[in-house]
Amino acid sequence: MKIAINAISATAGGARTYLLNLARVLPSLVSHKYLLYVPSSATADLSGLPSNFRAVSVPWAEHRYLTRLVWEQFVLPRQVRRWGADVLVCVGNFCPLRSPVPVVLLSRNPTYFTPRYLADLLERGHYAWALRHLAQIRLALWSARAARLTITPTAAMGD
């Protein structure tokens, strides 16, 4: 089986730690072929992976949100199809809305589903951030619907 993993959002913090742990453990569990899309800054941390695991640096990952969105929605599906992946795992709350293969989505950021966060942005007058957040809420919901399976850290977040 060929498994593509979209981890371009793992640029810092917990997402970066999650990515590094996933990349080190996953190849040893099952002998599938893995293709991991990562931010350019993460490739140095991924040296020494088994031969069935390949990391591809995605320079678009460290650009503006809109650039990453374009890559994820239009470029990623073509690359997944070209590689012949059987499944796409997306670890960053969003996935292509039209994927050529089944998608497993990891939705781990409850901020998109917390009304208080949006209210706080509006109260502080961050209207541009609030608009972006509204767009991200919509995309997170559409992504959950587009995925074959959405995994959340808690049942409450899943609800």
Side-chain angles (χ1 to χ4, degrees):
M1 177 178 271
K2 288 183 162 185
I3 301 171
I5 303 171
N6 175 17
I8 66 165
S9 62
T11 56
R16 182 67 165 266
T17 302
Y18 178 82
L19 163 65
L20 296 176
N21 288 330
L22 179 71
R24 288 188 179 99
V25 172
L26 193 58
S28 65
L29 298 177
V30 184
S31 61
H32 298 305
K33 290 187 177 185
Y34 299 92
L35 181 61
L36 176 63
Y37 297 97
V38 297
S40 299
S41 62
T43 53
D45 297 334
L46 296 171
S47 61
L49 292 174
S51 61
N52 63 330
F53 202 99
R54 185 170 61 116
V56 174
S57 173
V58 180
W60 292 33
E62 282 133 342
H63 291 282
R64 295 183 170 272
Y65 172 74
L66 187 58
T67 307
R68 285 178 29 196
L69 177 66
V70 167
W71 183 86
E72 194 166 59
Q73 295 302 316
F74 299 103
V75 178
L76 176 61
R78 283 194 297 252
Q79 289 187 359
V80 165
R81 184 181 324 110
R82 191 175 310 131
W83 185 60
D86 297 302
V87 68
L88 171 62
V89 177
C90 295
V91 301
N93 303 298
F94 306 113
C95 69
L97 300 180
R98 293 176 164 255
S99 174
V101 298
V103 174
V104 175
L105 174 66
L106 278 64
S107 184
R108 301 177 300 129
N109 188 348
T111 304
Y112 302 119
F113 310 106
T114 306
R116 182 69 194 124
Y117 183 75
L118 178 60
D120 182 59
L121 289 174
L122 293 171
E123 287 170 10
R124 293 188 295 151
H126 295 299
Y127 302 115
W129 287 10
L131 283 173
R132 176 181 164 178
H133 185 67
L134 284 169
Q136 289 174 325
I137 290 169
R138 181 60 51 207
L139 183 59
L141 291 170
W142 288 342
S143 292
R145 287 188 188 121
R148 174 79 54 91
L149 174 67
T150 300
I151 300 171
T152 59
T154 66
M157 186 170 160
D159 290 343

